[in-house]
Amino acid sequence: MLRVHFTAEDLFHVTFADGPLPMVELAMAMVAWQRTDEAAVFGPWRGRVGRELPGRVRPLLDLLRPDGDNPPFVEPYAATLEEGLTAVREAAPGLTGGQLARAAARAPGPDSWLRALWRRDRAAWDQLEAALTAAHASVVAPHWARIRQSFQADVAWRTRLLAAHGIRTCLASTHPAAAWSGTVLEIDRPPHYEVRLGGRGLLLMPSPFWTGRPLVAEYPEGPYVLLYPAMTPLPLVGPGPAAGALDALLGRTRAAVLQQLVQRRTTSELARDLDISLPSVSEHTRTLRAAGLITTERDGRAVLHAVTGLGADLLRSGA
């Protein structure tokens, strides 16, 4: 379980990041490629990435593992790729033996390259920079407009949620298993991790690649960072401008599902009316339900879905 302890000061200092960061999204993309969850959404994307990634990206798999608990130095909070690569290089003197042991224990193969990296071997660091550059060119740069679209739509929706229902509801919406116990935000998913913000506040950063429970990162300066799955993952973001604000937030198909549920419908009816598969309907309704936009109940053998008050507000506002 993740437990994040807030003080009153922290609750006054919850803000959203200004935009997605290339090195963070690069790390999350590499993580997402290795994960096996959310197969209905990410399965085809993972197949394409596997075919398109150049071989020189391979060393990154020793550092960026599927659980997302990555060494901070390889995903710096930098505004550009160039600034990020510089920050990665500058982190070399600060790497510790304990960090090496942790990275080596999680790596899927031999640790010889990691040990060379920690010894500040120039060839190893050149190899790391080449891997980061190639991965960015393959999985981030071509899709940056869609990454920004997903980020901005998520922030727009949660800002409205914050204004209408308060900070506790906004933070609890970042994961289906999130709930409050007093001033502690609890997310009932492993592994156990306890964070005390201590007045530093929290910066919210949605990622269209991340599919697991929210991650908390600590940096020496500034607030803690909560990285969580954006409401619309990258594979569901259309390649062109969305037809409307609701499409930009949810993706066209998921927005259509929500609009259909102004009247109660079964999973089969949604699949028929929208001409999509039953597994696709189930994936969309699961996400909409987790966000509090629809309810689902069983009536005999049928599964019935309907929009909630919050979902109706979203449809009326088009936000």
Side-chain angles (χ1 to χ4, degrees):
M1 177 183 287
L2 171 64
R3 303 182 79 239
V4 184
H5 296 256
F6 287 77
T7 65
E9 186 74 10
D10 293 314
L11 290 170
F12 284 123
H13 291 90
V14 176
T15 58
F16 290 96
D18 292 334
L21 299 174
M23 295 295 282
V24 174
E25 295 307 331
L26 167 57
M28 291 299 101
M30 294 303 298
V31 166
W33 176 51
Q34 298 173 77
R35 292 175 68 88
T36 57
D37 60 341
E38 305 285 1
V41 173
F42 276 91
W45 175 85
R46 288 175 180 134
R48 288 195 301 273
V49 171
R51 293 189 296 270
E52 295 170 2
L53 269 181
R56 59 183 176 277
V57 170
R58 173 64 184 79
L60 295 182
L61 304 186
D62 289 336
L63 292 167
L64 303 173
R65 304 303 300 142
D67 61 7
D69 187 15
N70 303 320
F73 84 91
V74 81
E75 46 182 20
Y77 281 36
T80 67
L81 174 65
E82 292 72 22
E83 291 176 4
L85 294 174
T86 298
V88 169
R89 287 273 189 178
E90 291 176 346
L95 299 184
T96 68
Q99 291 170 327
L100 169 60
R102 179 175 174 79
R106 300 168 71 242
D111 63 5
S112 55
W113 178 76
L114 289 173
R115 292 189 178 279
L117 201 65
W118 257 257
R119 288 197 309 268
R120 299 170 64 181
D121 178 82
R122 181 170 182 175
W125 282 89
D126 288 345
Q127 191 176 6
L128 174 60
E129 182 169 327
L132 289 167
T133 302
H136 180 270
S138 179
V139 299
V140 174
H143 311 292
W144 190 245
R146 295 167 62 209
I147 292 169
R148 286 187 58 85
Q149 183 179 331
S150 172
F151 180 99
Q152 291 167 348
D154 185 278
V155 170
W157 180 69
R158 289 188 209 277
T159 299
R160 176 177 172 80
L161 190 64
L162 173 64
H165 300 279
I167 190 62
R168 289 165 63 92
T169 299
C170 178
L171 288 170
S173 74
T174 58
H175 193 273
W180 285 91
S181 176
T183 57
V184 181
L185 179 65
E186 298 181 337
I187 303 174
D188 191 14
R189 291 291 185 274
H192 182 73
Y193 192 52
E194 202 100 7
V195 180
R196 297 182 184 275
L197 301 181
R200 289 169 57 181
L202 192 65
L203 185 70
L204 304 184
M205 183 175 292
S207 170
F209 291 110
W210 178 235
T211 60
R213 75 157 197 205
L215 303 171
V216 179
E218 178 183 9
Y219 285 82
E221 300 177 2
Y224 283 81
V225 177
L226 186 76
L227 189 143
Y228 62 91
M231 191 170 179
T232 306
L234 187 75
L236 297 183
V237 179
L246 192 61
D247 289 354
L249 171 62
L250 302 177
R252 289 182 177 85
T253 303
R254 193 174 293 168
V257 171
L258 183 63
Q259 289 163 341
Q260 287 283 318
L261 293 179
V262 171
Q263 295 183 346
R264 200 162 63 154
R265 280 179 166 78
T266 67
T267 301
S268 297
E269 287 171 338
L270 287 170
R272 181 197 65 207
D273 293 345
L274 297 174
D275 193 24
I276 58 178
S277 68
L278 288 171
S280 180
V281 171
S282 297
E283 178 65 31
H284 290 308
T285 54
R286 184 187 66 79
T287 301
L288 291 170
R289 185 168 56 252
L293 300 179
I294 68 168
T295 61
T296 299
E297 60 184 26
R298 185 171 290 279
D299 183 10
R301 298 181 63 181
V303 177
L304 295 168
H305 311 281
V307 72
T308 64
L310 179 61
D313 285 346
L314 189 64
L315 287 170
R316 281 195 295 270
S317 68

